[in-house]
Amino acid sequence: MSDKFVRAQSTTSSTLQLPANGAQEGRRKRTGLFRSLFQTLVPSQTEGRKSPWPLIATIVIWVGLAYAGYAFAVHTLDKQQQYVNERFEQVQEENQKQMIALGEQLTQVQDEMKTVQDGLSNLEEDLQLTGETIGGTNKTKEALQDRIDQLNKQLVDLKASLKKLEDAARAW
């Protein structure tokens, strides 16, 4: 045979044989994610010159997304601040109304206490003036004592109410 022809081996096996050195030369070598991104953004000198527009478009999109996120956050925070301010003003108005109502109740209770005290002092004066004339009538003394006890009880209740109103006014 001549040197121009190469002998071919024929096998009965249905699989292909690997090269003799055992290396997989036809397979592409994988690189890491960041390395492949870097190679995409900055091509090596051996590759042909690529257009810069994909890189510019990517940067513009990222800047646009960042700005849109910032604008949305600012808008949301402004709306929340406005709601908080409105609610705060409403609470202040309600508190002011309640303070006015408590003040009115306090003056009413004080007026009632003054009328009760005036009634007690008038009753005591009447008792002193009539004490000598009444003398021995037990029914009149009991009736007067009952009235005094009722007025004293009413005075104690009014003092307790006044104390509660003053405590409530201090709490506000």
Side-chain angles (χ1 to χ4, degrees):
M1 276 205 177
S2 76
D3 293 332
K4 295 180 182 177
F5 297 107
V6 177
R7 289 187 176 198
Q9 288 183 337
S10 64
T11 62
T12 57
S13 171
S14 62
T15 60
L16 295 174
Q17 297 290 329
L18 291 176
N21 60 1
Q24 297 177 352
E25 294 174 8
R27 189 168 186 190
R28 186 179 75 179
K29 183 177 179 183
R30 291 187 176 186
T31 59
L33 173 67
F34 294 110
R35 183 165 176 88
S36 64
L37 285 175
F38 180 73
Q39 286 177 352
T40 301
L41 294 177
V42 182
S44 66
Q45 296 295 337
T46 58
E47 295 181 11
R49 187 98 174 132
K50 291 186 179 180
S51 174
W53 290 111
L55 176 64
I56 293 171
T58 303
I59 291 172
V60 167
I61 289 173
W62 276 107
V63 168
L65 287 173
Y67 178 75
Y70 173 77
F72 178 74
V74 167
H75 175 70
T76 303
L77 288 175
D78 286 344
K79 285 177 76 175
Q80 287 178 350
Q81 184 66 38
Q82 183 181 11
Y83 173 75
V84 167
N85 289 340
E86 289 174 1
R87 187 70 181 125
F88 183 71
E89 289 173 4
Q90 288 175 353
V91 168
Q92 280 185 332
E93 289 173 4
E94 290 174 11
N95 286 345
Q96 188 66 27
K97 289 177 184 176
Q98 289 178 355
M99 288 297 293
I100 291 170
L102 284 175
E104 291 172 358
Q105 288 178 354
L106 185 61
T107 55
Q108 288 175 354
V109 169
Q110 287 176 344
D111 291 341
E112 289 178 8
M113 283 185 63
K114 284 182 182 180
T115 57
V116 169
Q117 285 178 346
D118 291 341
L120 280 175
S121 63
N122 289 338
L123 187 60
E124 287 177 7
E125 288 176 14
D126 290 342
L127 281 176
Q128 288 176 357
L129 293 175
T130 59
E132 297 170 1
T133 60
I134 294 175
T137 15
N138 287 336
K139 286 186 178 181
T140 310
K141 283 184 180 180
E142 288 176 7
L144 287 174
Q145 188 61 40
D146 288 341
R147 181 69 177 146
I148 291 172
D149 290 341
Q150 288 175 356
L151 289 173
N152 281 334
K153 186 176 180 181
Q154 189 177 2
L155 179 63
V156 169
D157 290 342
L158 287 173
K159 284 183 180 180
S161 295
L162 178 64
K163 177 80 172 155
K164 288 180 183 177
L165 285 173
E166 287 175 349
D167 290 342
R170 284 189 197 120
W172 289 102

